Amino acid sequence: MTDDSTAGSLTSDTDPLADGYRGDPGVRADWDSRYADRQQLWSGRPNGALVAEVAGLTPGRVLDVGCGEGADAVWLARGGWDVTALEVSGVALERAAGHARDAGTTVRWVHAALTEAGLPPASFDLVSAQYPALLRTPDAAAERALLSVVAPGGVLLLVHHAGMDTRPADESGFDPADYVWPSMVAALLDDDWVVEVDEQRPRVAPDGGAGAHHTDDVVLRARRLR
């Protein structure tokens, strides 16, 4: 995949906000506010489930969905992957681009919601979504967007915190019914896919950062056959 084939993509040496955000402005503002509240929201280290599941894969084209401050994207790029990283928060993307420059790695940044990004179909050998906050819609747009960009022979890796989908709505406004969970994606898999991993396991959590209190992961890894 070339730079020209990824809609609105930017390299590590480019202002990640120069393309113009594509998505719900309210969602962007909410995530920008969360990131702006802290100098660093996450640990700065790659997610443990990603490290474990990528160990046996040959590096190719990868999409990092909800890349945050860029730890996974930078780690993948260092490992020889051709990385496109997507994020709704401009604050997070600016930090991610800085980390990539510091690491001497090249990443294409896409400032958009997954469903609005205009990514080319069947174009990534790995699609990694680590604890994504994907909003649920009646037409399953986010779930279908995840599946649509995986190339034949490629892998979808979706990791989330175990038990989050069964929590009741809370006073902060978080309602699990508003979001996409691994089981919803698994339910859309047809004969074009084979499930390689679908399990709950203890979380290998980086030290520090938001979310460090979660102890278990749900891991869905599926390979597209055709």
Side-chain angles (χ1 to χ4, degrees):
M1 185 182 65
T2 66
D3 286 332
D4 292 339
S5 67
T6 304
S9 64
L10 300 157
T11 68
S12 300
D13 297 326
T14 309
D15 180 356
L17 304 184
D19 64 331
Y21 171 66
R22 297 181 301 285
D24 184 335
V27 173
R28 173 186 175 174
D30 179 49
W31 281 101
D32 278 348
S33 176
R34 296 187 197 192
Y35 280 101
D37 280 345
R38 298 191 190 183
Q39 187 173 1
Q40 179 177 321
L41 184 59
W42 308 113
S43 71
R45 299 172 58 189
N47 284 296
L50 173 68
V51 173
E53 294 300 323
V54 168
L57 299 181
T58 300
R61 300 158 298 178
V62 57
L63 174 66
D64 182 7
V65 178
C67 69
E69 292 160 324
D72 286 351
V74 170
W75 180 82
L76 287 161
R78 280 175 165 166
W81 289 85
D82 179 0
V83 184
T84 298
L86 178 142
E87 173 60 48
V88 297
S89 170
V91 175
L93 273 184
E94 288 182 331
R95 293 177 186 174
H99 295 323
R101 285 192 295 270
D102 292 344
T105 57
T106 297
V107 176
R108 298 180 184 89
W109 307 106
V110 180
H111 191 201
L114 175 63
T115 54
E116 304 293 332
L119 297 166
S123 56
F124 295 98
D125 304 300
L126 171 64
V127 174
S128 171
Q130 304 288 314
Y131 317 102
L134 297 173
L135 290 172
R136 189 180 183 189
T137 57
D139 61 354
E143 297 96 306
R144 296 186 188 281
L146 282 174
L147 299 178
S148 71
V149 293
V150 181
V155 169
L156 170 66
L157 177 61
L158 177 57
V159 179
H160 230 304
H161 300 303
M164 289 282 288
D165 55 331
T166 59
R167 285 174 49 182
D170 60 31
E171 294 180 356
S172 71
F174 171 76
D175 186 346
D178 293 336
Y179 294 92
V180 172
W181 305 104
S183 60
M184 299 173 186
V185 177
L188 294 179
L189 299 176
D190 56 21
D191 292 342
D192 288 343
W193 295 82
V194 60
V195 175
E196 297 179 334
V197 177
D198 186 4
E199 66 183 23
Q200 180 172 327
R201 67 173 73 149
R203 182 179 181 221
V204 180
D207 294 332
H213 60 287
H214 292 281
T215 60
D216 293 277
D217 282 334
V218 174
V219 180
L220 174 65
R221 172 175 156 167
R223 186 176 298 273
R224 184 174 179 178
L225 302 177
R226 51 189 174 272

